């Protein structure tokens, strides 16, 4: 029996893509809603919060292990699905646990019981492990389900639904945790929401994730107990050999620097963007929860425009898209620096829209460059290496954002100066990344390596 239905229709492709609608919403809940509540509303230091939020990026090697295990072995007759179900089950349970622990912390805000923190930390560790185990195996399932001709369309729809999840999550969670003036007046700590409001948010969110993930995967892999067709490579190149090739080739060396710097500094805003609006301008959580919807909407639109430009307009390639995206991000972070330093609230909303535009161009361009800069015959190895670099850089950037905010607040005693420090450093870092990007000449590199890019494979390794 075949382990999967043949081919992937647009309808089935859209059904599977609902998986990443839930993934995007889960990302918003942790990095957009929970961190804002912890830092701005409960007054917790940004450093431990950002470290906990970025755990899933540092646990990315588990995803490589799970993907390889799913290649070699089946569990109860399933190659991919068992790993995905287990990972997402952990994420749903941990969402409920995170909500319970945060509510307990809210109720014990005056004494911070260690048991509350144990629940929160355990929940985020489980969330991170579940994300790592199920993310790469889901992409492998999409790869298995689609024919070679369908894979480009398949990963494109999945990627769009991931961005859509950011937008939908921002809107839905802002409605689930609205302003509650009566609660603020009655509350001893002046919060505009109660523990019951917070618990309802996490219960509904976790239930929505479970529904999307179950619906998207139902019937997408058939049970098959025949031996796998995995072939072990006799003498695979070592990581040291791969790194040596990256370092010795000038174009690849500059690309490594560009990828690391751009990912690190672009995502340094992730844990502090919503707290920034709350701390500096006293914006309510119901408003800051919509930030992901604002930048996510323009990011989706710009991503679609980028793909159209690549196909229809001469002169537009991955390098040019990346250049435009990084320049827009530099302008955006400069505006956020000015907004924080001079406390100009009117800059925030336009800045969010411009942020989405920059991310759209930058994402599509950089994902394409990852494929362009993978040597012939070793594309799989290098796409894994670039993807690992992306994941670790993003996690490091998120952590640095929280630490930078705390250091700035400790040295200056002023919220505006603290956030301006983070945004300002990110602006300078992106300028250096742009400098590295200008030294990457893909056409010359391809001529040397005789590379024939496969965009669908690249997207499959980089999504999620």
């Amino acid at each position: 029996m075949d382990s999967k239905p043949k081919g992937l229709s647009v309808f089935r492709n859209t059904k599977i893509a609902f998986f990443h609608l839930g993934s995007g919403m889960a990302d918003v809940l942790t990095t957009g809603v929970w961190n804002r509540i912890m830092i701005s509303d409960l007054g917790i230091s940004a450093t431990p919060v950002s470290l906990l939020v970025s755990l899933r990026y540092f646990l990315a090697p588990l995803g490589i292990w799970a993907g390889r295990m799913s290649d070699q072995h089946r569990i109860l007759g399933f190659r991919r699905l068992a790993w995905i179900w287990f990972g997402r089950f952990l994420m749903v349970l941990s969402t409920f646990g995170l909500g319970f622990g945060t509510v307990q912390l809210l109720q014990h805000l005056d004494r911070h019981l260690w048991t509350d923190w144990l629940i929160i930390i355990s929940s985020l560790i489980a969330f991170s492990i579940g994300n790592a185990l199920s993310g790469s195996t889901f992409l492998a399932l999409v790869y298995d389900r689609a024919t070679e001709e369908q894979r480009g369309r398949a990963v494109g729809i999945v990627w769009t639904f991931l961005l859509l999840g950011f937008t939908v999550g921002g809107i839905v969670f802002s409605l689930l945790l609205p302003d509650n003036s009566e609660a603020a007046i009655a509350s001893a700590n002046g919060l505009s929401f109660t523990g019951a409001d917070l618990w309802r948010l996490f219960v509904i969110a976790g239930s929505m994730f479970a529904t999307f993930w179950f619906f998207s995967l139902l019937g997408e892999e058939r049970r098959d107990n025949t031996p796998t067709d995995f072939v072990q490579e006799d003498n695979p190149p070592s990581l040291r050999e791969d790194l040596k090739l990256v370092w010795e080739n000038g174009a690849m060396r500059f690309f490594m620097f560009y990828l690391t710097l751009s990912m690190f500094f672009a995502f340094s805003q992730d844990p502090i963007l919503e707290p920034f609006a709350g701390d500096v301008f006293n914006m309510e959580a119901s408003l800051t929860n919509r930030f992901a919807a604002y930048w996510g909407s323009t990011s989706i639109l710009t991503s679609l425009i980028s793909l159209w430009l690549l196909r229809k307009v001469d002169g537009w390639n991955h390098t040019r898209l990346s250049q435009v995206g990084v320049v827009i991000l530099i302008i955006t972070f400069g505006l956020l620096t000015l907004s924080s330093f001079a406390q100009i609230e009117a800059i925030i909303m336009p800045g969010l829209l411009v942020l989405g535009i920059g991310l759209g161009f930058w994402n599509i361009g950089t994902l394409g460059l990852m494929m362009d800069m993978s040597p012939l015959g070793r594309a799989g190895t290098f796409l894994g290496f670039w993807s690992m670099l992306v994941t670790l850089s993003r996690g490091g950037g998120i952590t640095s954002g929280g630490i930078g905010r705390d250091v700035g607040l400790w040295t200056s005693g002023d919220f505006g100066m603290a956030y301006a420090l983070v945004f300002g450093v990110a602006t300078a870092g992106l300028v250096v990344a742009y400098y590295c990007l200008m030294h990457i000449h893909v056409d010359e590199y391809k001529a040397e390596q005789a590379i024939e890019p496969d965009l669908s494979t690249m997207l499959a390794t980089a999504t999620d």
Side-chain angles (χ1 to χ4, degrees):
M1 179 187 295
D2 192 2
S3 63
K4 64 183 188 315
K6 289 292 185 182
L8 189 63
S9 67
V10 173
F11 173 78
R12 303 289 292 196
N13 197 163
T14 304
K15 172 181 172 291
I16 289 177
F18 271 84
F19 182 90
H20 267 349
L21 179 64
S23 299
M25 294 179 68
D27 191 41
V28 171
L29 182 68
T30 53
T31 64
V33 178
W34 179 77
N35 68 300
R36 195 272 189 209
I37 291 171
M38 292 290 286
I39 297 171
S40 291
D41 296 315
L42 302 187
I44 307 299
S45 173
T47 297
V49 173
S50 61
L51 282 170
L52 288 171
V53 167
S54 60
L55 261 180
R56 59 198 172 114
Y57 301 109
F58 298 122
L59 290 178
L62 282 176
I64 297 177
W65 173 77
R68 187 168 181 81
M69 291 296 293
S70 72
D71 281 337
Q72 300 182 44
H73 307 287
R74 290 192 175 94
I75 300 177
L76 300 177
F78 295 108
R79 173 178 286 185
R80 318 292 186 190
L81 207 55
W83 293 93
I84 304 173
W85 283 134
F86 178 69
R88 295 294 147 156
F89 177 72
L90 281 180
M91 292 177 69
V92 171
L93 286 184
S94 61
T95 299
F96 297 144
L98 182 62
F100 178 76
T102 306
V103 170
Q104 292 298 108
L105 191 68
L106 172 63
Q107 295 175 348
H108 305 144
L109 200 55
D110 56 335
R111 53 189 188 276
H112 283 199
L113 297 181
W114 69 269
T115 52
D116 302 338
W117 277 105
L118 179 62
I119 295 172
I120 290 173
I121 293 172
S122 300
S123 297
L124 285 170
I125 291 175
F127 186 94
S128 302
I129 293 174
N131 184 75
L133 295 179
S134 57
S136 60
T137 45
F138 167 73
L139 292 171
L141 176 64
V142 174
Y143 186 91
D144 292 343
R145 286 285 285 108
T147 64
E148 184 176 354
E149 295 76 18
Q150 295 171 343
R151 283 170 188 153
R153 178 253 290 167
V155 294
I157 293 177
V158 167
W159 173 255
T160 301
F161 266 71
L162 180 66
L163 295 174
L164 185 62
F166 297 148
T167 304
V168 173
I171 295 173
V172 170
F173 297 146
S174 67
L175 295 176
L176 290 176
L177 196 65
D179 292 335
N180 190 336
S181 301
E182 294 182 0
I185 294 173
S187 175
N189 49 35
L191 295 176
S192 60
F193 55 84
T194 65
D197 295 330
L198 200 57
W199 176 240
R200 182 179 65 250
L201 166 67
F202 279 88
V203 169
I204 294 177
S207 301
M208 291 178 68
F209 303 159
T211 301
F212 286 137
W213 292 331
F214 179 78
F215 166 75
S216 67
L217 297 173
L218 187 63
E220 295 304 331
E221 185 181 29
R222 294 175 181 170
R223 190 189 304 272
D224 184 3
N225 291 310
T226 59
T228 65
D229 54 0
F230 177 83
V231 178
Q232 176 68 46
E233 188 176 353
D234 292 333
N235 296 300
S238 67
L239 179 60
R240 182 175 181 179
E241 291 173 329
D242 293 333
L243 292 176
K244 182 179 179 181
L245 177 59
V246 170
W247 188 257
E248 290 180 347
N249 185 282
M252 296 184 77
R253 184 168 65 248
F254 273 110
F255 179 66
M256 179 180 66
F257 291 149
Y258 160 71
L259 195 61
T260 302
L261 292 171
S262 63
M263 289 289 169
F264 186 94
F265 289 109
F267 285 102
S268 63
Q269 51 77 30
D270 225 26
I272 65 164
L273 191 58
E274 290 82 2
F276 153 65
D279 289 337
V280 178
F281 300 107
N282 295 316
M283 289 187 181
E284 296 293 342
S286 60
L287 180 58
T288 62
N289 289 348
R290 300 173 194 166
F291 280 8
Y294 297 142
W295 64 258
S297 299
T298 53
S299 182
I300 293 172
L301 178 61
T302 309
S303 296
L304 296 175
I305 292 173
S306 298
L307 293 172
W308 180 82
L309 289 171
L310 286 172
R311 292 175 59 88
K312 300 293 185 180
V313 182
D314 293 336
W316 281 89
N317 52 33
H318 298 134
T319 302
R320 188 171 183 183
L321 287 175
S322 299
Q323 290 170 350
V324 172
V326 173
V327 168
I328 295 175
L329 288 177
I330 291 171
I331 294 172
T332 303
F333 277 85
L335 289 173
L336 291 174
T337 303
L338 177 62
S339 174
S340 183
F341 180 76
Q343 298 192 10
I344 306 175
E345 184 175 350
I347 294 178
I348 295 181
M349 292 306 171
L352 291 173
L353 299 178
V354 177
L355 174 64
I357 294 173
L359 289 174
F361 282 118
W362 171 66
N363 272 324
I364 298 300
T366 302
L367 288 171
L369 283 176
M370 286 170 61
M371 186 60 215
D372 292 339
M373 301 303 296
S374 296
L376 182 65
R378 299 170 71 180
T381 297
F382 273 80
L383 287 171
F385 175 71
W386 298 137
S387 298
M388 177 65 67
L389 201 62
V390 165
T391 303
L392 294 178
S393 298
R394 183 174 178 179
I398 290 174
T399 303
S400 74
I403 294 175
R405 179 262 193 192
D406 285 350
V407 171
L409 185 61
W410 177 68
T411 55
S412 69
D414 179 74
F415 281 119
M417 291 295 294
Y419 288 104
L421 172 66
V422 178
F423 295 136
V425 170
T427 304
L430 287 170
V431 170
V432 179
Y434 182 79
Y435 171 81
C436 295
L437 178 61
M438 295 302 292
H439 285 76
I440 302 171
H441 304 291
V442 176
D443 291 339
E444 295 178 8
Y445 175 78
K446 284 183 178 180
E448 294 174 359
Q449 301 291 330
I451 293 177
E452 302 232 353
D454 176 1
L455 181 59
S456 66
T457 303
M458 174 276 300
L459 283 173
T461 61
T463 311
D464 197 30

